[in-house]
Every structure is written in C-alpha cells, then in structure tokens.
Amino acid sequence: MADLIDVAVYTGGRWLPHQDIRIQDGSVVGIVGTAEPSERGNGHVIPGFVNTHTHLQQSLMRGIAECTPLLEWLLAVGEESVAITPERAYLAATAACLEALRSGTTTVVEHMWPHPSDDVHAAVIQAFHDTGIRAVLGRGVADRPDASRKWGFEPRLMQPLDEVLDHVDLLRDRVDGTRIRVALAVPNPRSLTERGMVTLREFADARELPVSIHLLETPTDDRMCLEHAGTGAVEYLDRSGFLWDRVLAVHCVELDDVGQRILADRGVAISHNPLSNMRLGSGVAPIPDMIQNGLRVGLGVDGAASNDTQDMLETFRVAAYLQRAVHKRADLLGFDEMLDIACGGANAVLGLPAVSGGVQVGAPADLTVIRFDRDYATLPVRDPGASLLTTGSRSIVDTVMVGGEIVVADGRSTRVDEAEVTKELLALSSR
C-alpha cells in the first residue's frame, strides 16, 4: 500500500490542493498538507464509484437484440444465459471488471440471473479476485417458472428454492474474509410467489444480506401483477413484506408518487440506470422526485447488453444531463450531488460504508486518481468537479485503488494481462 502524495482531493464537499492521503491497512487514515508541493501536483482524487447494478456476463453480448423492446430483448439475452459456460463467464466477468475499474469504479453490484451451475458462480468470483475489484455478488433466485418471462422466469435456469439458498450459504463461506460479499438477486416481482417472498425475506434477514430486484423498468410489472395478483407491483411486494431496508430496487422508471413514498417508508434504495433505460426505450426514472420523497438513489451502468459499456463516467454525465433535459432545468444534479449518488447513494442497503462529500478519513481506500492532462479535451480545468462531470471519460483515469492496493496504474490493470484478455475477446468476435 502506498500513500498518495501531492494531490488535489475532494473532501468535505470541496477541493483541497496539494494534499497527501495517508493509507494504512486498506483505509484512509489522514489527509494532510504536502510538505513540498510541486507546481501542478499529481492529479485529482475522488472516491471510487459504486456501480449499483450490472450483469457481467453480458459483456459478451454487446449489441444483442438492438432496437427491440424489453421482453423481446430479455428472451434473446435469456438464450445466451442458458448457454453460458464457466470459461465464458470468467472471460466476461474479467473483461467487464477491467472496463469498470478503468472508468473509476471500485465496487460492482453484480446481479446474476438464476443459474444452477456452481462452476459458473465460481468463475465470476475468480474474476473478482483476479482483477481486485470490490463486489457485491447477487446470486439469482426465482421460484415461479414461465418460459415467456411474463409471469415467472426461464425454467431452464431455475432450481428448487431450498437448493438455491443452500448454494447462497456455500458462496458466503467461499468469499468470507475477501472483498466480496453475497446478496440475493431477484429478476423482478413477477418471478417470485408470495411464499417465495416470505422465505427469502426470512433468509436475508437472518444473514443480513442485501436483496436486489428489478422493479417497474416498464409497465409490464404493474400490468402482470394486476392481472395475476389483483394489485400493482409495489403493493404486491409490500403485502408479502418484501420491501425493507436491505432492498435495492433497480430502474423504477414507472414508479409513481405513491410507490415512491411506500419505498421510502420501507427504507428501500433505488439503482438508477439511465443509459440502459434509454437504449431499451424504457423511459426516464423520476430521480428528482425520488430524492424529494426521501429515497436514497445510487447509480448503475447495467449490463453491457443494454448499455453497452461498463463506463461509469459516461453514466455519471448522462444521468445528470438526462434529468436536466426532461425537467428543462440546467441547475439539476451538479457535481457534488452526482458524486454522492455515484459513490454512496445506495451504500446503506448494500452494507457498504457511507460515502458523502468525497474522500473521508476512516473510509476504505477505494480511490480514483484523475489526471486531466491525459486528455486535452478536458483542458483547461476551470473547476475540477465541473470538468469531471461535463468532460470526464475513462481516458483521464490514471490510478485506481481498492482497499489501498493499486489495481490500475497509468490506466492499465496491475493484476491482469489485458493483452491476453483482448486476444480472447477478439477470438470470440471472429466466430
């Protein structure tokens, strides 16, 4: 572990130039003035981004089912997911994690689809270890089969619920003491029975596990829940006690004011995935209303089959610009607010340390060093925060630390042979 010397650091809601960040045992233990500052310093430091939602296997599915609506797109992705092998799962996860790290992401929340293969899960875990990223691994779970995906989930990928939960415990033991923690990942409200929801809530509570669930990405959740359960999607979950302060609701494009207040009252957090929602024509989540109604909001890239990258800096900018365009207000979601959303907006429900106002003493040393001089398109820098939000790209990410370990240096992985990964991906492209 190495200290960061003579950097400008965003901390306490402001930029402090010429600071040394002291790191010990994986945490930030001090931020002090540099004894002998250079003229320009050694970059600008922010906390690492927390990508609150992705599907890593989709990094091998870029461009799939382009120009198709969500349900049709899901069926195409489902066929690819059925055919996944441990080897492909490892390559996909490794490539996606490298891409994420190189855009300043230090933590990913992986929402795996239900899958019966332990080897596939082991391959994803190995990719986390090899790349050095911090991860929340959502083990997919569903208990209502339906090949159409309208009122249930793909039967070929499902197992009995007790087998799935036994596997979750096995995974928890496997990653104990590492940078990885385990969660439950529910495809959507339609994929769970009422009994399944009760069982999962009890299981998650007993083990203090986060639960990620796609919710109201389109009107389909409400329409199907009304048809089969006689109530909307939020009420369907709520009446079975499946909304509480460990739940991360993903997308929520169609979440109305009543639904927002219910989720806020239950302590649910939101994962906002603007680029995926745009690509699939799902719409725009009402983020300013959510925040006003007391909901905690984090930022998500989503899988590369619907984004189609893992670039958090791109999502960082688009998330702000999209809300400004929809609301016709240029004063929405500036750098300060967007950084809190992107680095810590949903951390409480995920069991991750709080991040607010930038780099904090006592927090894990999950840090990103930006060098604007890596890309003249970001220069000159009048305001580092404004420049990062409006011009930032992964080309200006110089160094990334996870737990005080440098896992990206000079824009490249320190742990993985990127040339070999590229070679393997190119081989897939030629098939």
Side-chain angles (χ1 to χ4, degrees):
M1 296 181 187
D3 296 339
L4 295 176
I5 304 300
D6 194 12
V7 293
V9 56
Y10 186 75
T11 181
R14 62 194 178 116
W15 289 99
L16 297 181
H18 301 298
Q19 300 291 304
D20 296 344
I21 301 177
R22 304 298 186 191
I23 298 168
Q24 184 176 332
D25 298 328
S27 296
V28 175
V29 296
I31 301 173
V32 299
T34 301
E36 297 181 7
S38 62
E39 181 178 346
R40 297 181 61 184
N42 294 314
H44 292 73
V45 180
I46 59 172
F49 294 134
V50 176
N51 175 8
T52 58
H53 185 69
T54 190
H55 305 279
L56 298 173
Q57 292 176 22
Q58 291 181 13
S59 68
L60 303 186
M61 306 180 199
R62 299 181 200 274
I64 191 172
E66 164 64 352
C67 222
T68 62
L70 178 63
L71 279 179
E72 186 176 337
W73 175 89
L74 281 170
L75 291 173
V77 171
E79 289 304 311
E80 293 272 342
S81 299
V82 168
I84 195 72
T85 64
E87 294 75 20
R88 287 174 68 91
Y90 175 78
L91 177 59
T94 299
C97 288
L98 291 175
E99 186 182 359
L101 285 165
R102 289 173 64 176
S103 70
T105 300
T106 52
T107 301
V108 292
V109 181
E110 162 64 349
H111 186 113
M112 289 189 72
W113 283 18
H115 199 287
S117 170
D118 177 61
D119 289 341
V120 165
H121 291 83
V124 174
I125 289 171
Q126 190 61 51
F128 292 149
H129 289 319
D130 289 352
T131 59
I133 202 163
R134 197 179 301 281
V136 179
L137 174 64
R139 204 294 187 186
V141 54
D143 74 334
R144 178 185 286 120
D146 177 13
S148 77
R149 303 290 299 279
K150 293 179 180 178
W151 187 243
F153 191 75
E154 170 56 61
R156 290 172 292 174
L157 293 173
M158 291 174 57
Q159 297 166 271
L161 201 53
D162 58 345
E163 291 183 17
V164 172
L165 299 184
D166 285 345
H167 188 237
V168 172
D169 278 337
L170 183 152
L171 293 175
R172 290 177 64 238
D173 290 341
R174 187 177 293 166
V175 302
D176 187 41
T178 72
R179 294 174 183 168
I180 307 163
R181 66 170 306 182
V182 174
L184 302 180
V186 179
N188 49 56
R190 313 185 312 272
S191 64
L192 284 183
T193 63
E194 289 89 338
R195 176 174 291 185
M197 282 188 264
V198 172
T199 299
L200 290 187
R201 169 73 189 262
E202 292 174 351
F203 182 87
D205 271 345
R207 293 156 178 79
E208 299 184 344
L209 300 182
V211 179
S212 176
I213 181 170
H214 297 89
L215 178 63
L216 292 168
E217 186 172 359
T218 68
T220 301
D221 282 344
D222 264 346
R223 188 167 60 248
M224 290 291 103
C225 287
L226 282 167
E227 178 181 332
H228 293 276
T231 187
V234 170
E235 293 78 8
Y236 176 64
L237 295 171
D238 197 36
R239 74 185 186 189
S240 294
F242 205 70
L243 297 174
W244 77 106
D245 60 4
R246 291 195 184 94
V247 172
L248 179 70
V250 182
H251 298 302
C252 295
V253 171
E254 297 291 331
L255 187 64
D256 62 18
D257 190 68
V258 173
Q260 290 174 39
R261 294 185 185 279
I262 292 173
L263 266 56
D265 287 344
R266 305 296 184 264
V268 174
I270 306 298
S271 172
H272 177 39
N273 294 248
L275 276 161
S276 172
N277 298 153
M278 293 165 67
R279 202 268 221 186
L280 294 173
S282 300
V284 181
I287 299 303
D289 290 346
M290 291 178 181
I291 294 171
Q292 186 173 350
N293 281 326
L295 280 163
R296 294 166 292 186
V297 177
L299 195 61
V301 170
D302 211 345
S306 65
N307 182 314
D308 293 49
T309 76
Q310 294 294 289
D311 189 341
M312 272 286 278
L313 274 167
E314 180 183 42
T315 301
F316 186 63
R317 177 171 61 255
V318 169
Y321 284 11
L322 183 60
Q323 297 298 329
R324 295 179 191 183
V326 168
H327 292 87
K328 299 182 179 180
R329 286 181 52 189
D331 61 343
L332 286 177
L333 299 177
F335 170 76
D336 296 353
E337 189 170 11
M338 279 304 308
L339 193 71
D340 281 352
I341 288 172
C343 299
N347 284 18
V349 304
L350 295 168
L352 299 172
V355 176
S356 178
V359 178
Q360 298 169 306
V361 173
D366 293 1
L367 305 171
T368 296
V369 182
I370 300 296
R371 292 209 61 122
F372 292 105
D373 56 4
R374 289 175 63 95
D375 185 353
Y376 70 85
T378 67
L379 301 174
V381 179
R382 299 171 180 269
D383 174 335
S387 290
L388 191 58
L389 179 63
T390 61
T391 70
S393 71
R394 57 189 171 193
S395 65
I396 63 173
V397 174
D398 182 82
T399 304
V400 178
M401 279 187 168
V402 180
E405 178 193 355
I406 295 175
V407 295
V408 171
D410 193 25
R412 296 285 177 178
S413 174
T414 62
R415 284 168 152 251
V416 175
D417 184 344
E418 293 188 4
E420 182 61 30
V421 173
T422 300
K423 179 181 176 181
E424 293 183 44
L425 293 170
L426 283 172
L428 292 179
S429 301
S430 63
R431 292 176 188 172

